[in-house]
Coordinates of all heavy atoms in Angstrom, one line a residue:
M1 N 96.5 80.5 96.8 CA 97.8 81.0 97.1 C 97.9 82.5 96.8 O 98.0 82.9 95.6 CB 98.9 80.2 96.3 CG 99.1 78.8 96.8 SD 99.9 78.7 98.3 CE 101.6 78.9 97.8
A2 N 97.9 83.3 97.8 CA 98.0 84.8 97.5 C 99.3 85.4 98.0 O 99.4 86.6 98.2 CB 96.8 85.4 98.1
T3 N 100.2 84.5 98.3 CA 101.5 85.0 98.9 C 102.3 85.8 97.9 O 102.5 85.3 96.8 CB 102.3 83.9 99.6 OG1 103.5 84.4 100.1 CG2 102.7 82.8 98.6
I4 N 102.7 87.0 98.3 CA 103.6 87.7 97.4 C 104.9 87.9 98.0 O 105.7 88.7 97.6 CB 102.9 89.1 97.0 CG1 102.6 89.9 98.3 CG2 101.8 88.9 96.1 CD1 102.4 91.4 98.1
A5 N 105.2 87.2 99.1 CA 106.4 87.4 99.8 C 107.6 87.0 98.9 O 107.5 86.0 98.2 CB 106.4 86.6 101.1
N6 N 108.6 87.8 98.9 CA 109.8 87.5 98.2 C 109.5 87.4 96.7 O 110.1 86.7 95.9 CB 110.4 86.1 98.6 CG 111.9 86.2 98.4 OD1 112.5 87.2 98.2 ND2 112.5 85.0 98.3
Q7 N 108.5 88.2 96.2 CA 108.2 88.2 94.8 C 108.1 89.7 94.4 O 107.0 90.3 94.4 CB 106.8 87.5 94.6 CG 106.4 87.5 93.1 CD 107.2 86.6 92.3 OE1 107.2 85.4 92.5 NE2 107.9 87.1 91.3
P8 N 109.2 90.2 94.1 CA 109.3 91.6 93.7 C 108.6 91.9 92.4 O 108.4 91.0 91.6 CB 110.7 92.0 93.7 CG 111.4 90.7 93.4 CD 110.6 89.6 94.0
R9 N 108.2 93.1 92.2 CA 107.5 93.5 91.0 C 108.4 94.5 90.2 O 109.3 95.2 90.7 CB 106.2 94.2 91.3 CG 105.2 93.1 91.7 CD 103.8 93.7 92.0 NE 102.9 92.6 92.3 CZ 102.2 92.0 91.4 NH1 102.2 92.4 90.1 NH2 101.3 91.1 91.7
C10 N 108.2 94.5 88.9 CA 109.0 95.3 88.0 C 108.7 96.8 88.3 O 107.6 97.2 88.4 CB 108.6 95.0 86.6 SG 109.4 96.0 85.3
D11 N 109.8 97.5 88.4 CA 109.7 99.0 88.6 C 109.1 99.7 87.3 O 108.5 100.8 87.4 CB 111.1 99.6 88.8 CG 111.6 99.3 90.2 OD1 110.7 99.1 91.1 OD2 112.8 99.4 90.5
V12 N 109.3 99.1 86.2 CA 108.9 99.7 84.9 C 107.4 99.4 84.6 O 106.6 100.4 84.4 CB 109.8 99.2 83.8 CG1 109.4 99.8 82.5 CG2 111.2 99.4 84.1
C13 N 107.0 98.2 84.7 CA 105.6 97.9 84.2 C 104.8 97.2 85.3 O 103.6 97.1 85.2 CB 105.7 97.0 83.0 SG 106.3 95.3 83.4
G14 N 105.4 96.9 86.5 CA 104.6 96.3 87.6 C 104.3 94.9 87.5 O 103.7 94.3 88.3
N15 N 104.9 94.2 86.4 CA 104.7 92.8 86.3 C 105.5 92.1 87.4 O 106.5 92.6 87.9 CB 105.2 92.3 84.9 CG 104.1 91.6 84.2 OD1 103.0 92.1 84.1 ND2 104.5 90.5 83.6
K16 N 105.2 90.8 87.7 CA 106.0 90.0 88.6 C 107.3 89.7 88.0 O 107.4 89.5 86.8 CB 105.3 88.7 88.8 CG 104.2 88.8 89.9 CD 103.7 87.4 90.2 CE 102.5 87.5 91.2 NZ 101.8 86.2 91.3
L17 N 108.3 89.8 88.8 CA 109.7 89.4 88.3 C 110.0 88.0 88.5 O 109.5 87.4 89.5 CB 110.7 90.3 89.0 CG 110.6 91.8 88.8 CD1 111.6 92.5 89.7 CD2 110.7 92.2 87.4
V18 N 110.8 87.4 87.7 CA 111.2 86.0 87.9 C 112.7 86.0 88.2 O 113.4 86.9 87.7 CB 110.9 85.2 86.6 CG1 109.4 85.0 86.4 CG2 111.6 85.7 85.4
K19 N 113.1 85.0 88.9 CA 114.5 84.9 89.3 C 115.3 84.6 88.0 O 114.9 83.8 87.1 CB 114.7 83.7 90.3 CG 114.3 84.1 91.7 CD 114.6 83.0 92.6 CE 114.2 83.5 94.0 NZ 114.2 82.4 95.0
N20 N 116.4 85.3 88.0 CA 117.3 85.1 86.8 C 118.7 85.0 87.2 O 119.6 85.8 86.8 CB 117.1 86.4 85.9 CG 117.8 86.2 84.5 OD1 117.8 85.1 84.0 ND2 118.4 87.3 84.0
G21 N 119.0 84.1 88.0 CA 120.4 83.8 88.5 C 120.8 84.8 89.6 O 120.0 85.4 90.3
K22 N 122.1 84.9 89.7 CA 122.6 85.7 90.8 C 123.7 86.7 90.2 O 124.3 86.4 89.2 CB 123.3 84.9 91.8 CG 122.3 84.0 92.6 CD 122.8 83.8 94.0 CE 121.6 83.2 94.8 NZ 122.0 83.1 96.2
T23 N 123.8 87.8 91.0 CA 124.9 88.7 90.6 C 126.2 88.3 91.2 O 126.2 87.3 92.0 CB 124.6 90.1 91.1 OG1 124.7 90.1 92.6 CG2 123.2 90.6 90.7
G24 N 127.3 88.9 90.8 CA 128.6 88.6 91.3 C 128.6 88.8 92.9 O 129.4 88.1 93.5
A25 N 127.8 89.6 93.4 CA 127.8 89.9 94.8 C 126.9 88.9 95.6 O 126.7 89.0 96.8 CB 127.3 91.3 95.1
G26 N 126.3 87.9 94.8 CA 125.5 86.9 95.5 C 124.1 87.3 95.7 O 123.4 86.6 96.3
R27 N 123.7 88.4 95.1 CA 122.3 88.8 95.2 C 121.5 88.1 94.1 O 122.0 87.9 93.0 CB 122.2 90.3 95.0 CG 122.3 91.1 96.3 CD 121.9 92.5 96.0 NE 122.1 93.3 97.2 CZ 122.4 94.6 97.2 NH1 122.5 95.2 96.1 NH2 122.5 95.3 98.3
T28 N 120.3 87.8 94.4 CA 119.4 87.3 93.4 C 119.1 88.3 92.3 O 118.9 89.5 92.6 CB 118.1 86.8 94.0 OG1 118.4 85.9 95.1 CG2 117.2 86.1 93.0
R29 N 119.3 87.9 91.1 CA 119.0 88.8 90.0 C 117.5 88.5 89.5 O 117.1 87.4 89.4 CB 120.0 88.6 88.8 CG 119.9 89.7 87.8 CD 120.6 89.2 86.5 NE 122.0 88.8 86.7 CZ 123.0 89.7 86.7 NH1 122.8 91.0 86.4 NH2 124.3 89.3 86.9
W30 N 116.8 89.6 89.3 CA 115.4 89.4 88.8 C 115.2 90.0 87.5 O 115.9 90.9 87.1 CB 114.5 90.1 89.8 CG 114.5 89.6 91.2 CD1 115.4 90.0 92.2 CD2 113.7 88.6 91.8 NE1 115.2 89.3 93.3 CE2 114.1 88.4 93.1 CE3 112.7 87.8 91.3 CZ2 113.5 87.5 93.9 CZ3 112.1 86.9 92.1 CH2 112.5 86.7 93.4
R31 N 114.3 89.3 86.7 CA 114.1 89.8 85.4 C 112.5 89.8 85.1 O 111.8 89.0 85.6 CB 114.7 88.8 84.4 CG 114.6 89.3 83.0 CD 115.6 88.6 82.1 NE 115.8 89.3 80.8 CZ 116.6 90.2 80.6 NH1 117.4 90.6 81.5 NH2 116.7 90.8 79.4
C32 N 112.2 90.9 84.4 CA 110.8 91.0 84.1 C 110.5 90.3 82.7 O 111.1 90.6 81.7 CB 110.4 92.5 84.0 SG 108.7 92.8 83.5
K33 N 109.6 89.4 82.8 CA 109.3 88.7 81.5 C 108.5 89.6 80.5 O 108.5 89.3 79.3 CB 108.4 87.5 81.8 CG 109.2 86.2 82.2 CD 108.2 85.1 82.4 CE 108.8 83.8 82.4 NZ 107.9 82.7 82.8
N34 N 107.8 90.6 81.1 CA 107.0 91.4 80.3 C 107.8 92.4 79.4 O 107.7 92.5 78.2 CB 106.0 92.1 81.1 CG 104.9 92.8 80.3 OD1 104.4 92.3 79.4 ND2 104.6 94.1 80.7
C35 N 108.6 93.2 80.1 CA 109.3 94.3 79.4 C 110.8 94.0 79.3 O 111.6 94.7 78.7 CB 109.1 95.6 80.1 SG 109.9 95.8 81.7
G36 N 111.3 93.0 80.0 CA 112.7 92.6 79.9 C 113.7 93.3 80.8 O 114.9 93.1 80.8
A37 N 113.1 94.2 81.6 CA 114.0 94.9 82.6 C 114.5 93.9 83.6 O 113.8 93.0 84.0 CB 113.2 96.0 83.3
S38 N 115.8 94.1 84.0 CA 116.3 93.3 85.1 C 116.7 94.1 86.2 O 117.1 95.3 86.1 CB 117.4 92.4 84.6 OG 118.5 93.2 84.3
S39 N 116.6 93.6 87.4 CA 117.0 94.4 88.5 C 117.4 93.5 89.7 O 117.0 92.3 89.7 CB 115.8 95.3 89.0 OG 114.7 94.5 89.4
T40 N 118.2 94.0 90.6 CA 118.4 93.4 91.8 C 117.6 94.1 92.9 O 117.5 95.3 92.8 CB 119.9 93.4 92.2 OG1 120.4 94.7 92.1 CG2 120.7 92.5 91.2
V41 N 117.2 93.4 93.8 CA 116.3 94.0 94.8 C 117.1 94.2 96.1 O 117.7 93.3 96.6 CB 115.1 93.1 95.1 CG1 114.3 93.7 96.2 CG2 114.3 92.9 93.9
T42 N 117.2 95.5 96.5 CA 117.9 95.7 97.7 C 116.9 95.4 98.8 O 115.7 95.6 98.7 CB 118.3 97.2 97.9 OG1 117.2 98.0 97.6 CG2 119.4 97.5 96.9
R43 N 117.5 94.8 99.9 CA 116.6 94.4 101.0 C 116.4 95.6 101.9 O 117.3 95.9 102.7 CB 117.3 93.3 101.7 CG 117.4 92.0 100.9 CD 116.0 91.3 100.8 NE 115.5 91.0 102.2 CZ 115.8 89.9 102.8 NH1 116.6 89.0 102.3 NH2 115.3 89.7 104.0
P44 N 115.3 96.3 101.8 CA 115.1 97.5 102.6 C 115.1 97.2 104.1 O 115.5 98.1 104.8 CB 113.7 98.0 102.2 CG 113.1 96.8 101.4 CD 114.2 96.0 100.9
D45 N 114.7 96.0 104.5 CA 114.8 95.7 105.9 C 116.2 95.7 106.5 O 116.5 96.3 107.5 CB 114.1 94.4 106.2 CG 114.6 93.2 105.3 OD1 115.1 93.5 104.2 OD2 114.5 92.1 105.8
I46 N 117.1 95.2 105.6 CA 118.5 95.1 106.1 C 119.1 96.5 106.1 O 119.8 96.9 107.1 CB 119.3 94.2 105.2 CG1 118.9 92.7 105.4 CG2 120.8 94.3 105.5 CD1 119.5 91.7 104.5
T47 N 118.9 97.3 105.0 CA 119.4 98.6 105.0 C 118.9 99.5 106.1 O 119.6 100.2 106.8 CB 119.1 99.3 103.6 OG1 119.4 98.4 102.6 CG2 119.8 100.6 103.4
A48 N 117.6 99.3 106.3 CA 117.0 100.1 107.4 C 117.5 99.8 108.8 O 117.7 100.7 109.6 CB 115.4 99.9 107.4
K49 N 117.8 98.5 109.0 CA 118.3 98.1 110.2 C 119.7 98.7 110.5 O 120.0 99.2 111.6 CB 118.4 96.6 110.3 CG 118.5 96.0 111.7 CD 118.5 94.5 111.7 CE 118.8 94.1 113.2 NZ 119.3 92.8 113.3
K50 N 120.5 98.7 109.4 CA 121.8 99.3 109.5 C 121.7 100.8 109.8 O 122.4 101.3 110.7 CB 122.6 99.0 108.2 CG 124.1 99.1 108.4 CD 124.7 98.7 107.0 CE 126.0 99.4 106.9 NZ 126.3 99.7 105.5
Q51 N 120.8 101.5 109.1 CA 120.7 102.9 109.3 C 120.2 103.2 110.8 O 120.7 104.1 111.4 CB 119.7 103.5 108.4 CG 120.2 103.6 106.9 CD 119.1 103.9 105.9 OE1 118.0 104.0 106.3 NE2 119.5 104.2 104.7
F52 N 119.2 102.4 111.2 CA 118.7 102.6 112.5 C 119.7 102.3 113.6 O 119.7 103.0 114.6 CB 117.4 101.8 112.7 CG 116.6 102.2 113.9 CD1 115.8 103.3 113.9 CD2 116.7 101.5 115.1 CE1 115.1 103.8 115.0 CE2 116.0 101.9 116.2 CZ 115.2 103.0 116.2
T53 N 120.5 101.3 113.4 CA 121.5 101.0 114.4 C 122.4 102.2 114.6 O 122.7 102.7 115.7 CB 122.4 99.8 114.0 OG1 121.5 98.7 113.8 CG2 123.4 99.4 115.0
G54 N 122.9 102.8 113.4 CA 123.7 104.0 113.5 C 123.0 105.2 114.1 O 123.6 105.9 115.0
F55 N 121.8 105.3 113.8 CA 121.0 106.4 114.3 C 120.8 106.3 115.8 O 121.0 107.2 116.6 CB 119.6 106.4 113.7 CG 118.6 107.4 114.3 CD1 118.7 108.7 114.0 CD2 117.7 107.0 115.2 CE1 117.8 109.6 114.6 CE2 116.8 107.8 115.8 CZ 116.8 109.2 115.5
H56 N 120.5 105.1 116.2 CA 120.3 104.8 117.7 C 121.6 105.0 118.5 O 121.6 105.6 119.5 CB 119.8 103.4 117.8 CG 119.4 103.1 119.3 ND1 120.2 102.3 120.1 CD2 118.3 103.4 120.0 CE1 119.6 102.2 121.3 NE2 118.4 102.9 121.2
R57 N 122.7 104.6 117.9 CA 124.0 104.8 118.6 C 124.3 106.3 118.8 O 124.7 106.7 119.8 CB 125.1 104.2 117.7 CG 125.7 103.0 118.3 CD 127.0 102.6 117.6 NE 126.8 101.4 116.9 CZ 127.5 101.1 115.8 NH1 128.4 102.0 115.3 NH2 127.3 100.0 115.2
W58 N 123.9 107.0 117.7 CA 124.2 108.5 117.8 C 123.2 109.1 118.8 O 123.5 109.9 119.6 CB 124.0 109.1 116.4 CG 123.9 110.6 116.4 CD1 124.9 111.5 116.7 CD2 122.7 111.4 116.3 NE1 124.5 112.8 116.6 CE2 123.1 112.7 116.4 CE3 121.4 111.1 116.0 CZ2 122.2 113.8 116.3 CZ3 120.5 112.1 115.9 CH2 120.9 113.4 116.0
A59 N 121.9 108.7 118.7 CA 120.9 109.3 119.5 C 121.1 109.0 121.0 O 120.7 109.8 121.8 CB 119.5 108.8 119.1
T60 N 121.7 107.9 121.3 CA 121.9 107.6 122.7 C 123.2 108.2 123.2 O 123.6 108.1 124.3 CB 121.9 106.1 122.9 OG1 122.8 105.5 122.0 CG2 120.6 105.5 122.7
G61 N 123.9 108.9 122.3 CA 124.9 109.8 122.7 C 126.3 109.2 123.0 O 127.2 109.9 123.5
K62 N 126.5 107.9 122.6 CA 127.8 107.3 122.8 C 128.8 107.7 121.7 O 130.0 107.6 122.0 CB 127.6 105.8 122.9 CG 126.8 105.4 124.1 CD 127.1 103.9 124.5 CE 126.5 103.6 125.8 NZ 125.1 103.5 125.8
Q63 N 128.3 108.0 120.6 CA 129.2 108.4 119.5 C 128.7 109.6 118.8 O 127.5 109.9 118.7 CB 129.2 107.3 118.4 CG 130.1 106.1 118.8 CD 130.1 105.0 117.8 OE1 129.1 104.5 117.5 NE2 131.3 104.8 117.2
S64 N 129.6 110.4 118.3 CA 129.2 111.5 117.5 C 129.0 111.1 116.0 O 129.4 109.9 115.7 CB 130.2 112.6 117.5 OG 131.4 112.2 116.8
I65 N 128.3 111.9 115.2 CA 128.1 111.5 113.8 C 129.4 111.2 113.1 O 129.5 110.2 112.4 CB 127.3 112.6 113.1 CG1 125.9 112.7 113.7 CG2 127.2 112.3 111.6 CD1 125.1 113.8 113.2
T66 N 130.4 112.0 113.4 CA 131.6 111.8 112.6 C 132.3 110.5 113.0 O 132.9 109.8 112.2 CB 132.6 112.9 112.9 OG1 132.6 113.2 114.3 CG2 132.2 114.2 112.1
E67 N 132.1 110.0 114.2 CA 132.6 108.7 114.7 C 131.9 107.6 114.0 O 132.5 106.5 114.0 CB 132.5 108.6 116.2 CG 133.6 109.4 116.9 CD 133.4 109.3 118.4 OE1 132.4 109.8 118.9 OE2 134.3 108.8 119.1
L68 N 130.7 107.8 113.5 CA 130.0 106.7 112.9 C 130.6 106.4 111.5 O 130.2 105.4 110.8 CB 128.5 107.1 112.7 CG 127.7 107.1 114.1 CD1 126.4 107.7 113.8 CD2 127.6 105.8 114.7
G69 N 131.4 107.3 111.0 CA 132.0 107.1 109.7 C 131.1 107.5 108.5 O 131.3 107.1 107.4
T70 N 130.0 108.2 108.8 CA 129.1 108.6 107.8 C 129.1 110.1 107.7 O 129.1 110.8 108.7 CB 127.7 108.2 108.1 OG1 127.7 106.8 108.5 CG2 126.7 108.4 107.0
P71 N 129.2 110.6 106.4 CA 129.1 112.1 106.3 C 127.9 112.6 106.9 O 126.8 112.0 106.9 CB 129.1 112.3 104.8 CG 129.7 111.1 104.2 CD 129.4 110.0 105.2
R72 N 128.0 113.8 107.6 CA 126.9 114.3 108.3 C 125.6 114.5 107.5 O 124.5 114.1 107.9 CB 127.3 115.7 108.9 CG 126.4 116.3 109.9 CD 127.1 117.5 110.5 NE 128.2 117.2 111.4 CZ 128.2 117.1 112.7 NH1 127.1 117.4 113.3 NH2 129.2 116.8 113.4
S73 N 125.8 115.0 106.3 CA 124.6 115.2 105.4 C 123.9 113.8 105.1 O 122.7 113.7 105.1 CB 125.0 115.9 104.2 OG 126.0 115.3 103.5
T74 N 124.8 112.9 104.8 CA 124.2 111.5 104.4 C 123.5 111.0 105.6 O 122.4 110.4 105.5 CB 125.4 110.6 104.0 OG1 126.1 111.2 103.0 CG2 124.8 109.2 103.6
F75 N 124.1 111.1 106.8 CA 123.6 110.6 108.0 C 122.2 111.2 108.3 O 121.2 110.4 108.5 CB 124.5 110.9 109.2 CG 123.9 110.4 110.5 CD1 124.2 109.1 110.9 CD2 123.2 111.2 111.4 CE1 123.7 108.6 112.1 CE2 122.7 110.7 112.6 CZ 123.0 109.4 112.9
H76 N 122.1 112.5 108.1 CA 120.7 113.1 108.4 C 119.7 112.6 107.3 O 118.6 112.4 107.7 CB 120.9 114.6 108.4 CG 121.4 115.1 109.7 ND1 120.8 114.9 110.9 CD2 122.6 115.8 110.0 CE1 121.6 115.4 111.9 NE2 122.6 115.9 111.3
R77 N 120.2 112.5 106.1 CA 119.2 112.1 105.0 C 118.8 110.6 105.3 O 117.6 110.3 105.2 CB 119.9 112.2 103.7 CG 119.1 111.8 102.5 CD 119.7 112.3 101.2 NE 121.1 112.2 101.1 CZ 121.7 111.0 100.8 NH1 121.0 109.9 100.6 NH2 123.0 110.9 100.8
T78 N 119.7 109.7 105.6 CA 119.4 108.3 105.7 C 118.7 108.0 107.0 O 118.1 106.9 107.1 CB 120.6 107.4 105.5 OG1 121.6 107.8 106.5 CG2 121.2 107.6 104.2
T79 N 118.7 108.9 108.0 CA 118.1 108.5 109.3 C 116.9 109.4 109.6 O 116.3 109.3 110.6 CB 119.1 108.6 110.4 OG1 119.6 110.0 110.5 CG2 120.2 107.6 110.3
A80 N 116.5 110.3 108.6 CA 115.4 111.2 108.8 C 114.2 110.4 109.2 O 113.4 110.8 110.1 CB 115.2 112.0 107.6
W81 N 114.0 109.3 108.6 CA 112.8 108.5 108.9 C 112.8 107.9 110.3 O 111.7 107.6 110.8 CB 112.7 107.3 107.9 CG 113.8 106.4 108.0 CD1 115.0 106.5 107.3 CD2 113.9 105.2 108.8 NE1 115.9 105.4 107.7 CE2 115.2 104.6 108.6 CE3 113.0 104.6 109.6 CZ2 115.6 103.5 109.2 CZ3 113.4 103.4 110.3 CH2 114.7 102.8 110.1
C82 N 114.0 107.8 110.9 CA 114.0 107.2 112.2 C 113.3 108.0 113.3 O 112.8 107.5 114.3 CB 115.5 107.0 112.6 SG 116.4 105.9 111.6
W83 N 113.2 109.3 113.0 CA 112.6 110.1 114.0 C 111.1 109.8 114.1 O 110.4 110.2 115.0 CB 112.7 111.6 113.6 CG 114.1 112.1 113.7 CD1 115.0 112.4 112.6 CD2 114.9 112.4 114.9 NE1 116.2 112.8 113.1 CE2 116.1 112.8 114.5 CE3 114.6 112.3 116.2 CZ2 117.1 113.2 115.4 CZ3 115.6 112.6 117.1 CH2 116.8 113.1 116.7
Q84 N 110.5 109.2 113.0 CA 109.1 108.9 113.0 C 108.8 107.6 113.8 O 107.7 107.2 114.0 CB 108.6 108.7 111.6 CG 109.3 109.5 110.6 CD 108.5 110.6 110.1 OE1 107.3 110.5 110.1 NE2 109.2 111.7 109.6
V85 N 109.8 106.9 114.2 CA 109.6 105.6 114.8 C 109.1 105.8 116.2 O 109.6 106.6 116.9 CB 111.0 104.8 114.9 CG1 110.8 103.5 115.8 CG2 111.4 104.4 113.5
Ligands
LIG101 ZN1 108.6 95.1 83.4

């Protein structure tokens, strides 16, 4: 069994994290058995999808950046990677 899917690692020491209940927001809370650090893992796929949707909407010219409801500087920062797609 070499699957590492859905098994985040500790930012601090790189150890595997174990599930440690949930946060108030319903996210799984993770805890490192080695150093005791706890973290919640943001789902980069979901965040990226949201960013790319906004980027795509803007790039196809139907909406201006201001209409997307995101500050211009934030928009450029969060969608800079989209240009590489
Ligand atoms: Zn750790």
Side-chain angles (χ1 to χ4, degrees):
M1 288 287 280
T3 178
I4 54 162
N6 209 20
Q7 180 71 63
R9 284 178 177 273
C10 177
D11 282 340
V12 181
C13 69
N15 237 49
K16 276 185 190 171
L17 298 177
V18 293
K19 281 184 183 169
N20 187 40
K22 293 210 168 188
T23 67
R27 268 187 184 155
T28 306
R29 191 195 302 273
W30 298 88
R31 187 162 192 89
C32 177
K33 274 181 164 175
N34 189 45
C35 71
S38 69
S39 64
T40 52
V41 176
T42 51
R43 292 285 302 273
D45 52 334
I46 291 173
T47 308
K49 196 177 175 201
K50 203 175 147 209
Q51 287 171 353
F52 191 77
T53 303
F55 172 80
H56 187 256
R57 247 192 251 155
W58 167 74
T60 51
K62 292 202 169 70
Q63 282 180 296
S64 70
I65 291 172
T66 45
E67 281 175 299
L68 293 172
T70 309
R72 196 171 286 260
S73 56
T74 305
F75 181 83
H76 282 300
R77 180 163 43 76
T78 56
T79 58
W81 62 272
C82 296
W83 293 107
Q84 330 253 333
V85 174

